Amino acid sequence: MKTFDRFDCISPVDYRYHDEKVARYLSENAFTRYKLRVELALVKTLHKRGICSEKVVREVEEACSKVTTAEVYAEEARIRHDIRALVNCIRAKVSDDAKPYVHMMATSYDIIDTANAARYRDVVWEVFIPSLVSLVEVLVVSVEHEAKTIQVGRTHGQHAVPITYGFAIAGYISRLGKSIESLMRLAEELPGKFSGAVGAYNASSLFFEDPVGFEKQVLDELDLPAAEHSTQVVPPEALTRLFCEITIAAGVLANLSDDMRNLQRTEIAEVGEEFEASQVGSSTMPQKRNPINFENAKSCWKILMPRIITVFMDQISEHQRDLTNSASARTYGETVDYAVVTAKRLTSTMKKLAVDHANLERNLEMQMGLVVAEPLYIILAALGHPDAHEKVRGLTLQAQREKIPLEEIVTNDPGMQDYLAKMTPYQRQILSDPALYTGVAAEKAQTVAKTWREKLRLK
Amino acid sequence: MKTFDRFDCISPVDYRYHDEKVARYLSENAFTRYKLRVELALVKTLHKRGICSEKVVREVEEACSKVTTAEVYAEEARIRHDIRALVNCIRAKVSDDAKPYVHMMATSYDIIDTANAARYRDVVWEVFIPSLVSLVEVLVVSVEHEAKTIQVGRTHGQHAVPITYGFAIAGYISRLGKSIESLMRLAEELPGKFSGAVGAYNASSLFFEDPVGFEKQVLDELDLPAAEHSTQVVPPEALTRLFCEITIAAGVLANLSDDMRNLQRTEIAEVGEEFEASQVGSSTMPQKRNPINFENAKSCWKILMPRIITVFMDQISEHQRDLTNSASARTYGETVDYAVVTAKRLTSTMKKLAVDHANLERNLEMQMGLVVAEPLYIILAALGHPDAHEKVRGLTLQAQREKIPLEEIVTNDPGMQDYLAKMTPYQRQILSDPALYTGVAAEKAQTVAKTWREKLRLK
Amino acid sequence: MKTFDRFDCISPVDYRYHDEKVARYLSENAFTRYKLRVELALVKTLHKRGICSEKVVREVEEACSKVTTAEVYAEEARIRHDIRALVNCIRAKVSDDAKPYVHMMATSYDIIDTANAARYRDVVWEVFIPSLVSLVEVLVVSVEHEAKTIQVGRTHGQHAVPITYGFAIAGYISRLGKSIESLMRLAEELPGKFSGAVGAYNASSLFFEDPVGFEKQVLDELDLPAAEHSTQVVPPEALTRLFCEITIAAGVLANLSDDMRNLQRTEIAEVGEEFEASQVGSSTMPQKRNPINFENAKSCWKILMPRIITVFMDQISEHQRDLTNSASARTYGETVDYAVVTAKRLTSTMKKLAVDHANLERNLEMQMGLVVAEPLYIILAALGHPDAHEKVRGLTLQAQREKIPLEEIVTNDPGMQDYLAKMTPYQRQILSDPALYTGVAAEKAQTVAKTWREKLRLK
Amino acid sequence: MKTFDRFDCISPVDYRYHDEKVARYLSENAFTRYKLRVELALVKTLHKRGICSEKVVREVEEACSKVTTAEVYAEEARIRHDIRALVNCIRAKVSDDAKPYVHMMATSYDIIDTANAARYRDVVWEVFIPSLVSLVEVLVVSVEHEAKTIQVGRTHGQHAVPITYGFAIAGYISRLGKSIESLMRLAEELPGKFSGAVGAYNASSLFFEDPVGFEKQVLDELDLPAAEHSTQVVPPEALTRLFCEITIAAGVLANLSDDMRNLQRTEIAEVGEEFEASQVGSSTMPQKRNPINFENAKSCWKILMPRIITVFMDQISEHQRDLTNSASARTYGETVDYAVVTAKRLTSTMKKLAVDHANLERNLEMQMGLVVAEPLYIILAALGHPDAHEKVRGLTLQAQREKIPLEEIVTNDPGMQDYLAKMTPYQRQILSDPALYTGVAAEKAQTVAKTWREKLRLK
């Protein structure tokens, strides 16, 4: 198998959304290297137990550094077994003395599942989490700038009561922060195994009194915990949990993207993706400024989210294992790639995002008269009005019908006078200037930003 | 809306797989009660803060105890708003003095999301986890009986090397045990909220210097943590994680069911669901003994697993919330019900499961001659045979071709003599009696059973 | 099992979104009636073949009319087999002479799968398709009113070039129309079976020379085609195709709902769900007018869409059948119910939908200056401008920078003079009044409406 | 972007399951060629309408033949718009006179969606359907050989009554045959579009009286129908239906694979994947003969099936389109590739599959005594036994308890004598030799094979 044209690829993960850092852990070449690393860990442990010489270790290490995926595939094409092919490639590069120690006592999945644990742990720790942390950092900076920028709150796509722009962004910091913490824990919990063909340490028991201890020693070389119980494979739940959390994190990214897409609508226009001077918005409509990055981020979620079903189906493996995950488990890396690509794209897009303060104000004023309805209702209720909600609903309908500001109607309503008299100055003030009615939005935004700046040790 | 015939239901969760204990938390009646509990917690806190009298608390408590779902639905039919309908029903049952304090400062989702957190936490802790623990207990007892019962290990549906029956079951104990621990943690982390219409405490800020402290006080009444940041709704990730774990636990149950279904195949017959004297196996084939309970358990997984997609889609809510989860979030309870029903069904089925020791032995002997191939290869390799795997593969093919036991072929092979001489007695013994080749299966089974008996405090 | 409180249900399909017409086909009571209908069809056919007397037919018919689901469940609780329980209930109500002919030669799934084919065909033809046709009718009327109402076209949420409101609605007519046609065909293709326990007509061959002909005769009683080949069950693909199409139709409904939700945003406000006088928009914000019906419609799609995965998983049944669809196949009716409820809700909502012509105009004018960019570029290109797209992009950026209408910039640009001179009057006119630039939107809208008014024979 | 190492790919679809024929239609290079073909169809039509000269057509044709994906990507990297980049690459290769006609009046998705329709239609017709037809052919040949080979029928994994091996295979022929017919129709229905930026023919109306006629003319060049109504994009349902059917076809392949995997279990062993002399079954267990091809086929289904969710989500596009399918729609080709690879793998595996007649017989005999229960019950019922099912259930339990063949018990049972006397010779014969009890399995198998041999015009 030789080099080929990247555009002959069928998957966009390879010709268009290929992240080189992810590929360092999850490409087929990377997988080969991880499997070799496990084979080497075994030989090192055999040496520590006095079973083979240091020379054997050195030979195997040297051999492993030279094995290429291409030669493994060539051997596999001959013998139709992937791990045996890998083993043959190592053996072909060592002396006859060293040969017996290569893959000694191991079954294929001692190597494969252990390599998988190591590479998924590494790519999550070294690529995915950092990509999320970078995004959080951009959001934290944004909150620090815009904590007090008033924005109308929206529920059901309708204007509700005011918040601040920074407050809305802080929600994403909090949600991503928790996901990062969860990812850290789950990635560290991924177990390896060295328990042989059916998990009962049948082979290693031929040589060791403490085959479970031997397993621990091999996995220690790779900083991996051992599964409490394994069959030919590690129990799939730890990896399933990790992919659930990756999917959850991607869901938060998709939610952020949808919010930004909508805030960029022509009629709303509170934010805008930065446009480069030479960038084309549409092939026929040169005036268009499309939120293509947010759209792309949402689209990547639509790719990766349903694939969790594949992971859940792979949880079921008959008896000491069937191999009906042979192809499917190979696709998990794509999910990681899409998640990383999305996080990176959002980081650069959010970093350059323009917040349009004029439009924020314009939109806020649109229904300000009506926004006052909530505090009015709540104050009336607190002041003992027996039917405050119904009363305010009536006043609101009147305001809309007569196109008069709600405050004016309230001030002139005879039934309101007693209540107006009893209000505190702050309460009275809010009826006149509902933009003040933002609760603790600004402080909350700042607190959340500060918390995660510290927790994630952002510069 | 009046009582109706259960068999007019469309969902099997209501006419066929309806668990009464689950319904105590997740039926619509139960939901009403949980929402009333949150409304009451609010009034209690208002009293603790000196805003209303104890009499108001007593009135509201009394009213809440009387509100029925039917009357709330009748009111909703009139005003088209579910929570306002609930509030009206409470208000109609208290004095005018108490009316203002009902739902004071609250937005609908302060009530709904907090009620959801409480009821999902409760049903997981009080129904789902106990149903899993009961199953684990049955499995532990089974392992304690069958830890040493030799069974052929199977990979790819093919005989591999031996394990013990208890060892296979222990794998399920370990997997379920970890899932139980995870469920415990995730259920406790479900947050409530009392931050108002857009999450910025706009309303409660009108009355309190510390609206975040007020929220904490309300949620303390319900033993719930507050979300670090909320909008109109709590951030969805905590509930999403819980449903991922429920799905994962159900996946383990499905895997167990598939294993048992297959072990019950006519040709294998190592286990059998107990049949009651009056039970009919087939409407035309009276001799049939079908694994209907395991089939049903697998089928329930096929129902609930894909529904995690609904949960993931509900993660996305625009701005301070859209309501596109209005119907969908109401279906989550079904997933819990199916998971509980599955766990209970498996508990009773596994409890009565017959293990057929004669068939276990018969199957084990089927290819015993060949099972010896693995230890032979491994020992040869360890003894320095330069090409052990290829050598043994050849001997195996010869055994199959000539229909001679592999051990006989090995003993007579000239090239094997040196190696046979170098083997330890234990190694030599295993070649003669491959049933001994079970590694540490029995000990591992016992250790796992003991660990979880203690961790889960089984009697 | 007795009548019970509807609000003890766990599934919202039973306490909140329960459509009575759907239940007439898909509730458990309805299922019982369909199964009885198949049992009766069998006895009728036995009579036609001279195997039993007409009196037997009358007895069985009478008995079938009396069997209740409740008594079948009671019998099933005793003998643990659902169809045998049904058979016992019929047999208990006929004379000893008639008993042998009840369920004669039939296997359970001859009854169940045939009943399923009949009821899904019926509910689709008699409830789901009519609910879609009603919606299409409302849309056709809307198009007939608003075919020429100009609306800004939107791509990426950004203003593009104009269409008409009727044109946008016509797209949904076309998409739903095609789905209706597809549903009709697929519902009619659902096959029944009467081929016995493993599909080879083993039992009926004991009595008939032409068991395939006998099967045809039984199914003719129910107007169902026979499967070309069946096992214990009919091949699942026909039902899978039907549910794919139901899911597709629901996707169109969800798309319509999203469009309407977005057009109802406060800033856009081109349409509005009608609000009843007594309706409450929010429990704390009395001014809110939320698009709750469109949100609900979208939410129902999030429920039903992922469940197609269950249907796809049920496609796989081992050998002549496993029973791992025992529970899952019972849930399909819920999907139909949600689809029907959604179609009905959208019909009533779209019927009362207010189209705000003033806001349509206001939004259209927002960027009218820029909308002219597309026709300008296209005309320039056609007139031979060597780099029309780049030229217009430059002019557009200038218009935005200098806040001058694009047309003014074009008129004054020296490089444009030659091209302006060469334009047709229509082309020149469009640059001044881009609202004219709607292509054939109005005619297309009218043509589509007319086509489907005729195809679906709307009044 | 240059050639790169195939093993740096992340998706197995590119490094391991890459079908070259599929790539000819669905790789990024292929997509470029299809888009160029659409651009050329446009210019050809402009010429036919007298708008440009034949020389322009020749220039554009020449240019299109030279544009490479790599240069398009380089241009896209500069201007950030994919189709404009393609257009620029064509324009750069033609004279200034020809430039204006390139992409004239077209919007990006006139090109992209039309290219998609053409390439998916082509790959289904020219690669996927042929791959299924080849598989059907292998199955037809198998049925022709094994139509009469008796096999025990299995339901619930339990022995039921006999069929023939050919009968079981014929079920797959029938199911695949219907899927092929459906694929043919759906692929031909895929529509293209040439209706401009929002579907209203805004641009083409500037030049033509009959823009709909012009669209038809362009699409005729590519043998594609036009959508009845389009927006910026074609309505997604036609493509969704095609992918539903691909998923359905793959489900049939997965079902076949599961059956074969199970029949290959050590204890059943009725079929066996052929093993090559040099093939390795396990890295440690040289004796293993694993059903890796069937496992792989099942695994590919687990990859592609859940991805239909992505397609369903892409059905929803806001207003005249959003671009949230920008990345996701690029992944559909992978589904086609996995389906093709699966069909091809199963073709070669089924072709070489060994059917073990000895084991078929051995398994059949296992419970033959009990298999007689069904015909006995049915005959007794037909002969007027008032409680045949219960009677036979009792006899069966007795047979199992006393380990005596059921026939012997029947013959000796006093209550049976009258009935035995009334049986036809054929009925009596079946009780003695239940292997005769195969109904019309053999004829049905032959009929199905013959039908599809003719319909699909197999050699």
Side-chain angles (χ1 to χ4, degrees), chain A residues 383-437:
Chain A
L383 293 176
H385 191 292
D387 206 12
H389 193 274
E390 193 54 30
K391 175 70 188 174
V392 175
R393 206 171 65 84
L395 296 172
T396 304
L397 289 172
Q398 187 190 340
Q400 288 183 305
R401 206 168 45 240
E402 304 179 3
K403 296 191 195 304
I404 298 174
L406 181 55
E407 198 214 350
E408 199 178 318
I409 288 186
V410 170
T411 317
N412 296 329
D413 188 282
M416 285 294 98
Q417 302 313 314
D418 282 4
Y419 297 101
L420 287 169
K422 282 188 239 166
M423 289 184 191
T424 66
Y426 175 58
Q427 291 174 345
R428 196 64 195 74
Q429 196 181 6
I430 274 178
L431 297 191
S432 305
D433 184 4
L436 297 173
Y437 187 56

Side-chain angles (χ1 to χ4, degrees), chain D residues 42-61:
Chain D
L42 165 61
V43 177
K44 281 182 178 170
T45 309
L46 291 175
H47 168 60
K48 284 187 182 166
R49 292 233 162 182
I51 289 170
C52 68
S53 66
E54 211 194 315
K55 178 169 172 297
V56 169
V57 175
R58 282 200 307 271
E59 275 193 50
V60 173
E61 188 154 23

Side-chain angles (χ1 to χ4, degrees), chain B residues 154-155 158 267 288-289, chain D residues 154-155 264 267 288 397:
Chain B
R154 291 170 175 94
T155 55
Q158 304 292 305
E267 292 89 350
K288 294 291 295 290
R289 295 289 175 272
Chain D
R154 291 171 174 94
T155 55
Q264 193 165 343
E267 292 89 349
K288 294 290 295 289
L397 289 172

Side-chain angles (χ1 to χ4, degrees), chain A residues 21-35 37-38 111-128 187 190-191 222 224 239 242-243 246 326-334 336, chain D residues 7 9-12 15:
Chain A
K21 281 201 185 149
V22 171
R24 264 179 240 160
Y25 300 86
L26 301 181
S27 71
E28 188 66 348
N29 275 327
F31 195 19
T32 304
R33 286 193 297 276
Y34 270 93
K35 286 183 280 193
R37 204 178 293 177
V38 181
I111 309 304
I112 290 174
D113 266 11
T114 301
N116 274 328
R119 68 190 183 127
Y120 285 119
R121 177 199 58 194
D122 289 354
V123 77
V124 166
W125 265 101
E126 293 169 30
V127 187
F128 185 43
L190 290 178
L222 302 153
L224 288 170
L239 196 61
L242 180 65
F243 275 92
I246 293 171
S326 60
S328 44
R330 289 177 178 276
T331 64
Y332 299 179
E334 301 170 41
V336 177
Chain D
F7 297 115
C9 283
I10 291 172
S11 172
Y15 66 76

Side-chain angles (χ1 to χ4, degrees), chain A residues 66-128:
Chain A
K66 288 180 184 155
V67 171
T68 69
T69 308
E71 71 181 294
V72 176
Y73 266 66
E75 175 69 2
E76 185 188 349
R78 195 179 66 85
I79 62 165
R80 306 265 304 273
H81 192 288
D82 52 355
I83 284 293
R84 178 53 47 190
L86 181 86
V87 171
N88 288 355
C89 289
I90 304 172
R91 284 164 50 96
K93 291 180 170 50
V94 297
S95 67
D96 277 3
D97 283 355
K99 278 191 173 64
Y101 305 104
V102 175
H103 195 70
M104 187 178 172
M105 294 174 289
T107 199
S108 301
Y109 272 74
D110 290 342
I111 309 304
I112 290 174
D113 266 11
T114 301
N116 274 328
R119 68 190 183 127
Y120 285 119
R121 177 199 58 194
D122 289 354
V123 77
V124 166
W125 265 101
E126 293 169 30
V127 187
F128 185 43

Side-chain angles (χ1 to χ4, degrees), chain A residues 152 154-161 261-262 264-268 270 276-292 295 309 313 318 362-363 366-367 370-375 377-378 388-390 392-393 396-397 400, chain C residues 152 154-161 261-262 264-268 270 276-292 295 309 313 318 362-363 366-367 370-375 377-378 388-390 392-393 396-397 400:
Chain A
V152 69
R154 291 172 176 92
T155 55
H156 313 263
Q158 305 291 304
H159 285 190
V161 293
R261 279 200 308 128
N262 280 311
Q264 194 166 343
R265 284 175 176 276
T266 305
E267 293 89 350
I268 301 179
E270 297 184 357
E276 289 168 27
S278 60
Q279 189 170 347
V280 170
S282 154
S283 76
T284 65
M285 297 172 286
Q287 85 284 8
K288 294 290 293 291
R289 296 289 176 271
N290 299 326
I292 55 169
E295 289 171 328
I309 297 292
M313 288 198 291
E318 292 169 3
R362 181 199 63 188
N363 293 338
M366 241 175 167
Q367 295 209 313
L370 292 176
V371 163
V372 82
E374 173 174 300
Y377 144 65
I378 287 168
H389 193 274
E390 193 54 30
V392 175
R393 206 171 65 84
T396 304
L397 289 172
Q400 288 183 305
Chain C
V152 69
R154 291 172 174 91
T155 55
H156 312 262
Q158 304 292 305
H159 285 190
V161 293
R261 279 201 308 129
N262 280 312
Q264 194 166 341
R265 284 175 176 278
T266 304
E267 293 88 351
I268 301 180
E270 297 184 357
E276 291 169 26
S278 58
Q279 187 170 347
V280 170
S282 153
S283 77
T284 64
M285 297 173 285
Q287 83 285 9
K288 294 290 295 290
R289 296 289 175 272
N290 299 327
I292 55 169
E295 290 171 329
I309 297 292
M313 287 198 291
E318 291 169 3
R362 182 199 63 188
N363 293 340
M366 241 175 165
Q367 297 209 314
L370 291 176
V371 163
V372 82
E374 173 174 299
Y377 144 65
I378 286 168
H389 193 274
E390 193 52 31
V392 176
R393 206 173 65 85
T396 304
L397 289 172
Q400 289 183 305

